[in-house]
Amino acid sequence: MNFPRPAPGGPRERLTPLLSLNTQPQNQDRPLDLQHHLPLSRSGYNSHSNSNNATHSPSSTSLFSNAPSIFLKTPKPPKGKRVDAPHVTVDVGRRVSGNNGDGDQSTIRPEVTYSPQEGPRRPAEIPMGNMIGVVPPVYPSAPREDPIQTLRQAVSNISIGYSANSNQSGSMTHSPEGSSKSSPGSSATGGHGYHGLPEPGKPKEFNDEVFEVISRLGEGAGGAVHHVRDTRDGSIYARKTITTREVSTRQVVRELKIIATTSHVNIVQCFGAYMSPSSSEVKIIMEYCDGQSLEAIGKKLKERSAIIGEKIAGRIAEGILQGLTYLHSRRTIHRDIKPSNILLSREGIVKLCDFGVSGELTNESFLGTFTGTLVYMAPERVSGGEYTIRADVWSAGISLLELVQNRFPFPAELSTIELILTITNSEPPSLEDDPEADITWSDEMKDFIRQTLIREPRSRPTPREMLDHPWIRIVMNQEDHMAKWIRQVWGWPKPSKRPRKGSSRYENNGEDDGGNMSKHSTGSSVSPAD
Ligand SMILES: Nc1ncnc2c1ncn2[C@@H]1O[C@H](COP(=O)(O)OP(=O)(O)OP(=O)(O)O)[C@@H](O)[C@H]1O
């Protein structure tokens, strides 16, 4: 990460000398390297925060006339509060002391340090290597933040097993075939075999040894997601591995906190987490969503030259909005709603996942935090403005439009800058009939998409308001075929009503799934399930 260098001679804030070095040069022929930005990011320091808290002042005088000085902007830490390590630029004119051999071990001998809380005090000698001095700030009462410790704490907070989340407090949005309760056991592998449910209320301990990897589900920015089986009881999960070196501690902690504290039928359920022995990875154990993501479903439909029907699209839209409404009630914005983060369970229930970039609202809005996937971002986010939960509504609209039209709503050949300009300045994309393919969509559905893609954020409805849209009400008044539809998408056999002794739960009972997808048709009747 690049930290902004303080502009020489630029506006300065109140500076407080933290450390003054008394230089008694013993070897003056090798000047120390000047003007290095030296992040105080030894282990235990949060190197990416408070980048603006330090600067140096070459022209300032120090306690000792010849001594180079380090100055810090020193916001006085509130009592009992953690202080992140500042970044300092060391302005050291001469090697201080020590041998000049290959080891290049020199020592700076600070005479006085100054702590905003304690005033001047004398620290120990601080070794230098390679002519760069790294001087820890002296905040005796401020505990250093150890990222590994922070992660361990966050992991242990959620590693209380599935018992904490086993109560699905969210409303069921429809009545799927089979069990509606989310549990690892209910997601049998590829329709072969039913695994017993873990005992409710009994926390499970997870580690690498207990898992067997079935397949790799995909890879995101921070790590990979695997389909795994717990060899102790055959339970099936999705395991997300986050490489701690690639993702900021804050981001991992935020994701862990959000998934550990959310409990809703339209949010992927978390069953626990653990750290790899080397602490280089955090692994999150989630419910496995057999129905896969809207991205994978879209690809499958394309392969078969099939499109999705209105009733199915409406159910999916409703599930997304329920999930977002719940998140909003928890003062959370997802910030990365896109087809690969919208999953379906075996029963066709929508499950939002990937809270890596989600944000917790302190006020109703965020200001200009550029996090997420550009192509699904609302105009106010792309342009760096303030944004609210309504930004997630836009992303949901783009994702749905992509799914039903089976193509990305913006021209594919746009460069990043052109895409930004299109999102911010052009007429928002809309749902259109395709007479050539004999596809027509209802006016209600077209209006629903239009409402989600209103450019002016304040005029765009919230997820809660979108749930009252006539299209959603019409769709939700009709019979639910999600389980049948998702089975047809993936070609799963129909589950038998009563499993015969010794047979698998998802045994094919002879249902003909051959005609599960029309090549094309009107938008309202593309599949038997529709
Ligand atoms: N619980 C789950 N069940 C089934 N598949 C999942 C689950 N969680 C994630 N996946 C799939 O794993 C893949 C990787 O997911 P991940 O969230 O890490 O990255 P992504 O959304 O593809 O990319 P990015 O990190 O850029 O947002 C995606 O295809 C996603 O659909």
Side-chain angles (χ1 to χ4, degrees):
M1 181 177 278
N2 290 324
F3 294 96
R5 293 180 80 117
R12 294 231 167 79
E13 294 182 25
R14 187 176 60 84
L15 298 174
T16 306
L18 176 78
L19 173 67
S20 180
L21 308 176
N22 188 6
T23 55
Q24 297 294 325
Q26 295 184 0
N27 179 345
Q28 302 198 358
D29 58 334
R30 292 177 65 192
L32 284 174
D33 200 9
L34 299 184
Q35 302 192 3
H36 272 78
H37 275 84
L38 299 172
L40 293 174
S41 55
R42 293 172 167 185
S43 69
Y45 284 79
N46 192 357
S47 66
H48 57 264
S49 55
N50 280 6
S51 57
N52 292 326
N53 274 358
T55 184
H56 75 294
S57 175
S59 58
S60 307
T61 51
S62 66
L63 297 174
F64 302 88
S65 54
N66 281 337
S69 304
I70 299 169
F71 289 87
L72 296 173
K73 293 175 197 165
T74 52
K76 193 167 178 172
K79 242 194 160 123
K81 276 260 166 104
R82 182 186 305 277
V83 177
D84 287 325
H87 289 70
V88 297
T89 300
V90 181
D91 178 20
V92 181
R94 298 284 169 192
R95 177 179 302 282
V96 179
S97 66
N99 74 64
N100 294 323
D102 288 338
D104 201 20
Q105 283 299 309
S106 299
T107 304
I108 50 176
R109 187 171 293 122
E111 290 292 311
V112 175
T113 60
Y114 178 88
S115 149
Q117 287 136 322
E118 293 199 346
R121 70 192 274 262
R122 185 181 293 272
E125 285 186 349
I126 301 166
M128 295 175 73
N130 297 326
M131 298 192 292
I132 296 174
V134 180
V135 186
V138 183
Y139 279 138
S141 60
R144 295 176 181 183
E145 187 173 290
D146 178 351
I148 299 297
Q149 261 319 104
T150 307
L151 287 172
R152 278 195 193 289
Q153 184 59 50
V155 163
S156 74
N157 284 347
I158 78 164
S159 293
I160 48 173
Y162 47 83
S163 56
N165 274 337
S166 57
N167 274 335
Q168 292 283 308
S169 61
S171 62
M172 279 306 299
T173 56
H174 55 282
S175 320
E177 289 178 12
S179 165
S180 63
K181 187 147 168 65
S182 172
S183 67
S186 67
S187 299
T189 46
H192 301 294
Y194 173 75
H195 302 290
L197 302 180
E199 258 178 73
K202 205 170 175 194
K204 258 179 153 185
E205 282 201 3
F206 297 111
N207 58 55
D208 278 342
E209 263 79 69
V210 307
F211 289 115
E212 155 186 300
V213 174
I214 298 166
S215 63
R216 189 187 179 89
L217 295 168
E219 179 133 20
V225 180
H226 289 96
H227 180 197
V228 296
R229 178 186 291 112
D230 185 335
T231 52
R232 294 169 296 185
D233 59 8
S235 299
I236 298 298
Y237 301 96
R239 185 183 66 188
K240 179 170 182 169
T241 302
I242 301 171
T243 312
T244 52
R245 235 179 310 121
E246 281 163 29
V247 183
S248 81
T249 304
R250 212 159 55 144
Q251 192 174 322
V252 183
V253 169
R254 195 167 44 200
E255 178 164 9
L256 288 168
K257 190 176 162 201
I258 290 174
I259 59 168
T261 53
T262 49
S263 177
H264 188 269
V265 69
N266 297 117
I267 306 288
V268 162
Q269 190 179 349
C270 172
F271 294 100
Y274 63 95
M275 278 184 96
S276 62
S278 64
S279 300
S280 60
E281 291 168 338
V282 169
K283 308 207 182 184
I284 303 175
I285 309 303
M286 307 172 271
E287 69 176 300
Y288 170 62
C289 299
D290 314 50
Q292 298 188 41
S293 67
L294 292 191
E295 185 185 38
I297 291 170
K299 279 187 192 146
K300 193 74 187 171
L301 295 176
K302 212 175 224 166
E303 257 173 52
R304 300 191 187 178
S305 306
I307 59 164
I308 198 169
E310 273 205 41
K311 292 178 209 161
I312 298 296
R315 292 262 167 192
I316 292 172
E318 198 258 358
I320 299 170
L321 293 172
Q322 292 282 8
L324 291 181
T325 302
Y326 170 77
L327 287 180
H328 194 202
S329 75
R330 316 241 341 148
R331 308 194 62 71
T332 298
I333 300 185
H334 188 288
R335 296 203 285 190
D336 203 13
I337 291 291
K338 58 179 178 179
S340 68
N341 288 339
I342 302 167
L343 309 175
L344 291 187
S345 72
R346 184 161 202 101
E347 294 83 17
I349 302 171
V350 167
K351 306 274 177 182
L352 303 181
C353 76
D354 198 355
F355 295 88
V357 300
S358 299
E360 286 170 275
L361 287 164
T362 39
N363 301 310
E364 234 352 78
S365 63
F366 276 101
L367 182 64
T369 319
F370 199 82
T371 313
T373 309
L374 177 66
V375 288
Y376 300 96
M377 264 187 205
E380 66 271 23
R381 295 202 58 204
V382 167
S383 57
E386 223 171 75
Y387 60 90
T388 67
I389 188 76
R390 294 165 207 260
D392 281 347
V393 170
W394 171 286
S395 308
I398 295 286
S399 302
L400 281 167
L401 193 53
E402 181 177 356
L403 179 72
V404 298
Q405 294 189 329
N406 232 328
R407 63 175 170 78
F408 190 64
F410 298 106
E413 67 281 357
L414 295 182
S415 66
T416 304
I417 218 63
E418 288 167 334
L419 181 64
I420 288 172
L421 291 173
T422 305
I423 294 171
T424 49
N425 295 329
S426 301
E427 202 47 40
S430 58
L431 179 62
E432 307 290 347
D433 296 335
D434 184 352
E436 269 179 40
D438 198 19
I439 295 170
T440 53
W441 306 101
S442 70
D443 288 344
E444 288 84 5
M445 182 175 180
K446 284 177 193 161
D447 185 67
F448 177 90
I449 297 289
R450 199 180 61 75
Q451 297 288 336
T452 60
L453 300 181
I454 292 175
R455 207 166 53 213
E456 166 54 43
R458 272 165 301 185
S459 308
R460 196 182 312 135
T462 63
R464 179 74 207 83
E465 288 162 351
M466 287 304 299
L467 281 169
D468 286 334
H469 190 278
W471 183 57
I472 296 292
R473 282 206 247 120
I474 292 168
V475 167
M476 296 310 288
N477 276 334
Q478 294 168 350
E479 214 183 326
D480 174 15
H481 293 293
M482 287 302 289
K484 185 175 175 189
W485 175 77
I486 196 69
R487 195 170 66 235
Q488 291 173 339
V489 168
W490 297 115
W492 297 331
K494 191 178 179 187
S496 43
K497 290 224 167 68
R498 266 186 297 129
R500 265 176 271 141
K501 215 176 166 193
S503 69
S504 67
R505 188 183 183 205
Y506 294 105
E507 187 186 10
N508 189 342
N509 69 354
E511 180 194 58
D512 177 17
D513 280 334
N516 59 358
M517 308 271 177
S518 305
K519 281 282 178 223
H520 63 239
S521 179
T522 60
S524 57
S525 60
V526 281
S527 77
D530 211 28

